[in-house]
Amino acid sequence: MALDLESGVPLWRRGRGLRPCALLAGSVVALRISRSPTLVVVVFDAATGEDRWTSEPVDLPPWARCALDDTRDFSVRTETDEDIVVIHWVARSWYVGGAAPSPQALKESRREAHGTLRVDPAGPPVEILPEVEAPPEPADAGAPPLVPPSAPSSQAAADVLDQSRVGDVRVELALRSDSGAIVLRAMNPRTGTLNWEVELDDATTRRAPRLPP
């Protein structure tokens, strides 16, 4: 979804399963993520939301568990280099059994794969770059997945899941307790007054991911 920051009016919407990665040269570069598991690069016109082009699927290992937000199982990092977008992905698997595993079972359950995609927003194809050294394993690799913490500000309302400063407004991601709807709203950080609010999803059963800084 693209919004007018001043009014909150939606400019355009796209379907589910999309993870925005970069805004470059008038284009939005996103990943369509599925449980197949595959990654598909989708490029939209930033002004209208119209499709510019879609890549062929990039296959990941069959054990990979892709997600729209970063988890201990799957994460995405994006870089821009002039007119090029570089997308790095990492997939990991862990032992998930109930009983304490043997060293051999623990070793066999730990898997890792990573890759890099080079995207020119002007047009396909997506270039799959040669593999380089994998990023370091998280320090909490043996711990269960973390639940994203709530917004750091002590002044955040009880329903705020996360917040971020964008220009002169504070943008909040919130969960309505009465309906379970996920909403995005803009607040005046000086007065605490509401500028606008837009409903993103009418119901949810899971905690929303953190907003990027």
Side-chain angles (χ1 to χ4, degrees):
M1 173 189 287
L3 301 172
D4 184 306
L5 189 59
E6 293 295 327
S7 64
V9 173
L11 302 177
W12 48 266
R13 291 175 181 258
R14 303 304 302 175
R16 296 174 181 267
L18 288 169
R19 174 170 177 161
C21 294
L23 174 61
L24 188 66
S27 297
V28 175
V29 178
L31 285 177
R32 178 172 289 126
I33 296 176
S34 68
R35 295 183 178 180
S36 304
T38 59
L39 299 178
V40 175
V41 175
V42 185
V43 178
F44 306 110
D45 184 291
T48 66
E50 295 181 355
D51 288 4
R52 287 190 167 171
W53 57 270
T54 300
S55 76
E56 294 295 324
V58 177
D59 293 326
L60 273 60
W63 50 263
R65 301 175 61 185
C66 301
L68 287 175
D69 52 311
D70 286 344
T71 67
R72 68 194 295 260
D73 297 324
F74 184 77
S75 60
V76 171
R77 179 171 56 88
T78 303
E79 301 172 349
T80 56
D81 182 10
E82 295 183 352
D83 294 332
I84 299 298
V85 178
V86 180
I87 302 173
H88 306 272
W89 62 267
V90 179
R92 293 185 172 98
S93 70
W94 323 85
Y95 178 76
V96 293
S102 66
Q104 183 64 24
L106 187 62
K107 180 179 179 180
E108 292 176 352
S109 66
R110 299 285 288 273
R111 291 170 291 192
E112 180 178 291
H114 60 278
T116 302
L117 309 178
R118 184 180 184 273
V119 182
D120 182 349
V126 170
E127 181 182 357
I128 301 177
L129 299 182
E131 291 190 10
V132 295
E133 184 178 352
E137 187 174 284
D140 60 347
L146 297 176
V147 176
S150 58
S153 172
S154 59
Q155 298 180 353
D159 63 347
V160 173
L161 300 172
D162 206 348
Q163 63 183 12
S164 181
R165 187 70 174 261
V166 181
D168 295 329
V169 300
R170 184 176 71 243
V171 179
E172 297 179 347
L173 188 68
L175 174 65
R176 285 181 180 160
S177 58
D178 55 346
S179 64
I182 292 289
V183 297
L184 190 70
R185 61 193 179 209
M187 306 291 295
N188 185 314
R190 292 184 292 104
T191 64
T193 55
L194 176 67
N195 292 349
W196 50 261
E197 181 177 281
V198 176
E199 187 172 292
L200 302 180
D201 199 354
D202 56 6
T204 183
T205 57
R206 64 186 294 272
R207 190 174 181 85
R210 289 182 59 82
L211 290 172

